[in-house]
């Protein structure tokens, strides 16, 4: 008898349940769809998650980053040091805010190397912007020390790391935290973002920037923008924040199962979580390095033919495009570790929608393809 066709295991699955349906329906029926009480409720939930005094909802992770930088009132020519191995929004946000972007290389954990950051600081540096990539926080203890030593702002790109901890402290609480609520992120409102801070004056500027620089109706106190999130979007994200701990635990179990099952294959380097940091497994990313039976692209293609979706985050270092290489406010750098990562990384499915049988199938197929 023929076995039933196996469903494809996708790299992400966007799933909303009955809680989201009724939450969004309530907003629709209330007639209050723009920013209102649901946005406030979501902000309160983020204050709890991150353990800060202020959370300010924004229209996306990108506008959260832009607003955070704008609220810092950087001077002309100010430089922001960030990771060359990130989603391009990190770079675009710095440029949008009018600053110059400079880069420091990453370490084996795919996040900014603190020693490299210290070496990249110049007299013009105003801020450090670490990226908590794949759900793993950067080394915020060491990077925080660099920021304090040079009196620099710290803006965390926590778009992929909702709820991750460093030394027991949530990401987004070390500096100004920026989160994304994009469809495929660990918490989603379709499109959306959040800025977190303990600084009341900064929070005030962020709320003004978000709403046309308006303190009261038609009372403008700065040139602002429309970075608002809607109550419809907030209503989608609120139930997910309530389930975030469970969803993250499921991601962690999937990651541990993958790591146990994929150990010992030649050339396959599995992700490790450094001590004193927690990983929230936005992605499970391996390196397919020298000595592997297939190279990264061949492995990804082979997995696809077996119905297993994979993705490359990211195929090039962030500035490695003509529009950035020639940009007057992009300072390119030698970043061999980031270049090597871009050529070797492959993300395997780890999302909470996977069953144990799905994870077993991923392990079996990868082992079949890479075992000597
Ligand atoms: C998703 C993401 C962003 C941007 O968030 P959007 O909500 O898509 O604007 C920024 N940085 C990183 C690392 C991201 O993954």
């Amino acid at each position: 008898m023929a076995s039933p066709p196996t469903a494809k295991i996708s790299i992400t699955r966007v799933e909303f349940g009955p809680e989201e349906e009724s939450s969004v329906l309530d907003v629709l029926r209330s007639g209050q769809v723009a920013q209102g009480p649901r946005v406030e409720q979501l902000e309160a939930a983020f204050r709890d998650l991150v353990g800060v005094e202020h959370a300010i909802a924004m229209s996306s992770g990108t506008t959260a980053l832009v607003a955070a930088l704008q609220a810092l009132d950087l001077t002309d020519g100010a430089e922001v040091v960030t990771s060359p191995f990130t989603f391009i929004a990190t770079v675009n946000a710095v440029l949008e805010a009018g600053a110059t972007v400079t880069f420091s290389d990453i370490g084996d954990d795919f996040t900014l190397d603190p020693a490299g950051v210290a070496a990249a600081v110049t007299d013009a540096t105003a801020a450090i912007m670490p990226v908590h990539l794949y759900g793993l926080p950067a080394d915020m203890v060491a990077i925080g020390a660099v920021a304090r030593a040079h009196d620099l702002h710290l803006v965390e790109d926590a778009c992929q790391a909702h709820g991750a901890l460093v030394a027991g402290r949530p990401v987004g609480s070390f500096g100004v935290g920026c989160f994304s609520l994009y469809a495929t992120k660990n918490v989603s409102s379709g499109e959306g973002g959040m800025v977190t801070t303990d600084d009341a004056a900064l929070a005030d500027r962020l709320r003004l920037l978000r709403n046309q620089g308006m303190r009261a109706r038609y009372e403008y106190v700065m040139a602002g923008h429309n970075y608002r999130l809607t109550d419809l979007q907030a209503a989608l994200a609120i139930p997910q924040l309530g389930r975030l701990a469970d969803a993250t635990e499921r991601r962690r179990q999937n990651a541990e199962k993958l790591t146990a099952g994929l150990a010992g294959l030649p050339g396959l380097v599995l992700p490790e979580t450094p001590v004193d940091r927690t990983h929230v497994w936005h992605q499970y990313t391996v390196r397919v390095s020298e000595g592997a039976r297939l190279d990264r692209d061949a492995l990804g293609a082979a997995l696809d033919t077996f119905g297993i979706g994979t993705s490359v985050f990211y195929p090039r270092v962030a500035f490695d495009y003509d529009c950035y290489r020639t940009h007057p406010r992009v300072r390119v750098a030698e970043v061999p570790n980031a270049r090597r990562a871009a050529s070797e990384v492959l993300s395997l499915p780890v999302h909470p929608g996977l069953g144990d049988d799905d994870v077993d199938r991923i392990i079996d197929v990868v082992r079949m393809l890479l075992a000597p």
Side-chain angles (χ1 to χ4, degrees):
M1 221 167 71
S3 56
T6 358
K8 178 160 168 114
I9 302 175
S10 60
I11 183 76
T12 52
R13 189 189 301 166
V14 180
E15 253 180 321
F16 300 116
E19 279 188 287
E20 282 90 335
E21 284 180 19
S22 68
S23 173
V24 170
L25 209 53
D26 284 348
V27 173
L28 275 181
R29 289 175 176 156
S30 77
Q32 159 78 56
V33 292
Q35 183 184 305
R38 294 314 179 108
V39 167
E40 276 180 32
Q41 202 184 329
L42 181 65
E43 290 175 338
F46 257 89
R47 288 198 297 270
D48 287 349
L49 177 72
V50 180
V52 289
E53 295 285 324
H54 306 277
I56 303 95
M58 297 284 170
S59 54
S60 72
T62 308
T63 56
L65 290 163
V66 171
L69 291 163
Q70 288 174 330
L72 295 175
D73 265 335
L74 306 181
T75 51
D76 276 358
E79 292 176 4
V80 177
V81 185
T82 193
S83 171
F85 196 55
T86 182
F87 181 52
I88 203 61
T90 315
V91 173
N92 285 340
V94 176
L95 297 176
E96 176 75 20
T100 293
V101 57
T102 72
F103 299 96
S104 146
D105 208 356
I106 56 171
D108 288 342
D109 64 357
F110 303 117
T111 72
L112 271 182
D113 166 34
V117 173
V121 170
T122 72
D123 288 345
T125 305
I128 305 173
M129 205 156 98
V131 180
H132 307 314
L133 199 73
Y134 306 140
L136 178 69
D139 182 350
M140 293 311 295
V141 174
I143 292 172
V146 176
R148 274 191 304 280
H150 298 272
D151 199 19
L152 304 173
H153 296 292
L154 208 45
V155 178
E156 299 175 68
D157 183 337
C159 287
Q160 300 187 1
H162 316 67
L165 306 174
V166 183
R169 218 172 118 181
V171 299
S173 71
F174 290 85
V176 189
C178 299
F179 295 84
S180 169
L181 304 173
Y182 179 66
T184 58
K185 300 294 160 83
N186 288 20
V187 178
S188 154
S189 61
E191 297 274 10
M194 190 69 67
V195 183
T196 54
T197 179
D198 274 327
D199 181 334
L202 189 78
D204 182 56
R205 282 200 294 284
L206 284 161
R207 289 192 190 96
L208 291 169
L209 281 167
R210 171 173 71 177
N211 193 25
Q212 312 287 4
M214 192 160 71
R215 188 173 297 288
R217 198 167 160 82
Y218 305 138
E219 188 201 308
Y220 307 107
V221 297
M222 63 165 70
H225 211 289
N226 173 2
Y227 294 141
R228 294 184 307 264
L229 189 74
T230 68
D231 262 25
L232 268 177
Q233 293 164 306
L236 196 51
I238 289 164
Q240 290 170 64
L241 264 176
R243 296 197 306 265
L244 180 64
D246 287 346
T248 302
E249 176 56 21
R250 185 68 221 175
R251 287 176 185 271
R252 196 183 59 76
Q253 285 168 6
N254 291 342
E256 278 182 2
K257 199 166 158 69
L258 285 169
T259 292
L262 296 174
L265 289 167
L268 190 73
V269 182
L270 304 177
E272 282 177 27
T273 307
V275 287
D276 242 15
R277 291 186 243 173
T278 67
H279 201 315
V280 294
W281 301 105
H282 176 59
Q283 299 294 344
Y284 183 93
T285 304
V286 300
R287 289 175 188 267
V288 188
S289 61
E290 229 162 292
R293 257 187 62 194
L294 299 173
D295 70 18
R296 188 267 310 275
D297 292 339
L299 178 62
L303 285 168
D304 186 60
T305 67
F306 284 94
I308 296 168
T310 62
S311 201
V312 174
F313 306 111
Y314 297 91
R316 293 206 220 172
V317 301
F319 56 74
D320 211 5
Y321 298 82
D322 284 345
C323 58
Y324 296 111
R325 266 193 301 261
T326 61
H327 195 291
R329 287 187 286 112
V330 174
R331 195 91 24 91
V332 302
E334 291 294 317
V335 289
N337 294 344
R339 285 194 188 283
R340 184 160 158 233
S343 71
E344 292 185 345
V345 292
L346 187 70
S347 295
L348 305 175
V350 74
H351 60 76
L354 298 177
D356 281 341
D357 48 337
D358 294 321
V359 181
D360 284 334
R361 197 167 120 219
I362 297 166
I363 292 166
D364 288 348
V365 176
V366 173
R367 290 208 78 87
M368 178 191 72
L369 292 167
L370 292 187

